[in-house]
Amino acid sequence: MKVVTTVKELRRKFGKVIFPPVGLVPTMGALHEGHLSLVLSAIRECETVIVSIYVNPEQFNDKEDLKNYPRNTEKDLEMLQGVLRGNDLVFIPSDKEIYPEKDTRIFNFGNLDKVMEALHRPGHFNGVAKVVSRLFELTNPDISYFGIKDFQQVAVVKALVKQCGFNIRISAKPVIRETDGLAMSSRNQLLEPGIRDQAPVIYHTLRKVSSMMKEKDIPDIKIFVRNNIEKHKDFEIEYFEIVDDVELIPVNRKDEMGNDRRYYGCIAVKAGKIRLIDNIEIELS
Ligand code: AMP
């Protein structure tokens, strides 16, 4: 694999050694098995894989979160070295390379940017759209890989592709979990040990939701979710919603759910100081 840090180097590589199809895996580093699963899918399907590592300040609404976000490029490169091939690239740009000038674009994603994460992280998806569109323009991939772990992000990126007319297929991959069920996340390493031990309650609650849907309606389920998670004193729910996977409109009763859509239970929890998100597909039958 080759490591490039500037747009100039990236362009030089494109002039010579890029074979299609090209797969892009955008990441913010502090890589784990979840990221690796995306990289491995890209390797299976693409002749050239580009993994970007860039902590995008534009998508952080909380300055402390940006400051504390885990960074470990050396370990990331070791991990990627084990799987990437000679022709694949790791792109590790600086802020100047991604934003040579102030990026003042304002995107409009309709309802996608009005619910769940958007309500709790104002400006987050506008920042995501800025960096993802810039990465798409720089690397011009055929396929770009994203994790369903960030369920709402996948919907926003698909909308971005449509709005900007990118000729890119978005491949959404399942959530990779620790053996105890906690969704892998770079932020997990910031959890205090006592809180980390209790964090699997989030996934276990979501699984219970999926099975409860047969007997109970959504208001009761919401009460269950809150009680089950907040019985741990350091855990506080920011939101729990059941939404469809196209418009992400929260449903309040089961009879609002159509058979032509898939539904996901999506949750954000403050676990101590760390914010965790997760989701599960709801089986209706
Ligand atoms: P991040 O570095 O957190 O921006 O994530 C980079 C990509 O990896 C995004 O598309 C995430 O959705 C995906 N990702 C993060 N965690 C997981 C996970 N546990 N399973 C699958 N994909 C993940």
Side-chain angles (χ1 to χ4, degrees), residues 95-155:
D95 290 338
K96 269 224 170 92
E97 297 292 327
I98 294 294
Y99 303 112
E101 283 167 22
K102 195 167 167 48
D103 188 342
T104 54
R105 287 176 295 167
I106 309 273
F107 295 83
N108 182 353
F109 297 116
N111 190 59
L112 303 184
D113 200 14
K114 291 191 178 66
V115 293
M116 302 195 293
E117 289 298 285
L119 291 179
H120 293 271
R121 302 187 71 187
H124 170 65
F125 288 120
N126 204 66
V128 168
K130 284 180 186 176
V131 75
V132 171
S133 57
R134 174 81 171 134
L135 289 169
F136 283 175
E137 278 156 13
L138 290 174
T139 61
N140 196 24
D142 298 284
I143 312 175
S144 188
Y145 296 81
F146 291 84
I148 291 177
K149 156 85 169 30
D150 295 280
F151 174 83
Q152 196 168 356
Q153 173 169 277
V154 170

Side-chain angles (χ1 to χ4, degrees), residues 26-28 32 34-35 38 69 146-147 149-150 174-176 184:
T27 83
M28 297 206 296
H32 50 66
H35 296 112
L38 303 182
Y69 197 82
F146 291 84
K149 156 85 169 30
D150 295 280
V175 184
I176 304 297
M184 288 192 181

Side-chain angles (χ1 to χ4, degrees), residues 11-19 87:
R11 295 226 160 99
R12 206 176 304 138
K13 288 270 180 272
F14 267 85
K16 290 185 206 151
V17 292
I18 297 292
F19 302 111
N87 199 42

Side-chain angles (χ1 to χ4, degrees), residues 221-256:
I221 289 178
K222 285 193 164 181
I223 293 170
F224 161 76
V225 168
R226 187 163 293 279
N227 289 342
N228 208 46
I229 289 182
E230 293 190 347
K231 70 183 177 209
H232 299 283
K233 70 171 175 43
D234 296 311
F235 287 53
E236 194 185 333
I237 293 182
E238 275 193 2
Y239 65 80
F240 167 73
E241 299 288 359
I242 295 178
V243 299
D244 70 274
D245 69 339
V246 181
E247 290 171 277
L248 274 54
I249 295 175
V251 283
N252 296 312
R253 309 209 83 92
K254 274 201 291 196
D255 57 17
E256 293 169 16

Side-chain angles (χ1 to χ4, degrees), residues 9-285:
E9 277 175 278
L10 191 68
R11 295 226 160 99
R12 206 176 304 138
K13 288 270 180 272
F14 267 85
K16 290 185 206 151
V17 292
I18 297 292
F19 302 111
V22 174
L24 171 69
V25 183
T27 83
M28 297 206 296
L31 301 182
H32 50 66
E33 299 287 321
H35 296 112
L36 215 56
S37 74
L38 303 182
V39 175
L40 291 174
S41 296
I43 289 173
R44 274 196 299 278
E45 295 170 7
C46 301
E47 283 296 316
T48 308
V49 172
I50 305 172
V51 179
S52 63
I53 299 178
Y54 177 62
V55 182
N56 172 36
E58 293 279 340
Q59 72 186 69
F60 283 79
N61 56 311
D62 174 351
K63 283 209 172 73
E64 275 301 292
D65 187 25
L66 173 62
K67 199 177 97 200
N68 296 331
Y69 197 82
R71 295 161 170 89
N72 196 340
T73 311
E74 223 169 89
K75 203 165 147 236
D76 291 346
L77 288 176
E78 246 173 58
M79 212 161 153
L80 292 172
Q81 187 77 57
V83 290
L84 289 180
R85 304 154 300 186
N87 199 42
D88 295 326
L89 294 179
V90 185
F91 180 43
I92 315 182
S94 64
D95 290 338
K96 269 224 170 92
E97 297 292 327
I98 294 294
Y99 303 112
E101 283 167 22
K102 195 167 167 48
D103 188 342
T104 54
R105 287 176 295 167
I106 309 273
F107 295 83
N108 182 353
F109 297 116
N111 190 59
L112 303 184
D113 200 14
K114 291 191 178 66
V115 293
M116 302 195 293
E117 289 298 285
L119 291 179
H120 293 271
R121 302 187 71 187
H124 170 65
F125 288 120
N126 204 66
V128 168
K130 284 180 186 176
V131 75
V132 171
S133 57
R134 174 81 171 134
L135 289 169
F136 283 175
E137 278 156 13
L138 290 174
T139 61
N140 196 24
D142 298 284
I143 312 175
S144 188
Y145 296 81
F146 291 84
I148 291 177
K149 156 85 169 30
D150 295 280
F151 174 83
Q152 196 168 356
Q153 173 169 277
V154 170
V156 166
V157 170
K158 283 182 176 168
L160 176 75
V161 165
K162 255 198 203 154
Q163 273 179 28
C164 299
F166 287 116
N167 188 16
I168 300 170
R169 177 157 74 81
I170 301 305
S171 180
K173 297 290 171 191
V175 184
I176 304 297
R177 300 180 178 282
E178 302 289 352
T179 47
D180 60 10
L182 177 64
M184 288 192 181
S185 162
S186 304
R187 289 188 177 86
N188 289 354
Q189 57 183 279
L190 303 175
L191 293 168
E192 287 168 31
I195 293 180
R196 166 64 190 86
D197 291 348
Q198 295 173 11
V201 70
I202 299 169
Y203 180 53
H204 295 152
T205 306
L206 290 179
R207 287 190 55 160
K208 203 77 190 286
V209 164
S210 199
S211 60
M212 281 171 79
M213 284 294 283
K214 288 179 188 83
E215 300 122 42
K216 301 240 182 265
D217 210 340
I218 296 169
D220 285 344
I221 289 178
K222 285 193 164 181
I223 293 170
F224 161 76
V225 168
R226 187 163 293 279
N227 289 342
N228 208 46
I229 289 182
E230 293 190 347
K231 70 183 177 209
H232 299 283
K233 70 171 175 43
D234 296 311
F235 287 53
E236 194 185 333
I237 293 182
E238 275 193 2
Y239 65 80
F240 167 73
E241 299 288 359
I242 295 178
V243 299
D244 70 274
D245 69 339
V246 181
E247 290 171 277
L248 274 54
I249 295 175
V251 283
N252 296 312
R253 309 209 83 92
K254 274 201 291 196
D255 57 17
E256 293 169 16
M257 296 167 89
N259 288 328
D260 54 337
R261 297 219 166 156
R262 296 162 82 162
Y263 290 88
Y264 284 75
C266 300
I267 194 164
V269 176
K270 216 53 197 295
K273 290 194 183 112
I274 307 304
R275 195 171 179 279
L276 301 174
I277 59 170
D278 202 348
N279 65 79
I280 197 165
E281 184 168 0
I282 305 284
E283 306 291 341
L284 282 176
S285 51

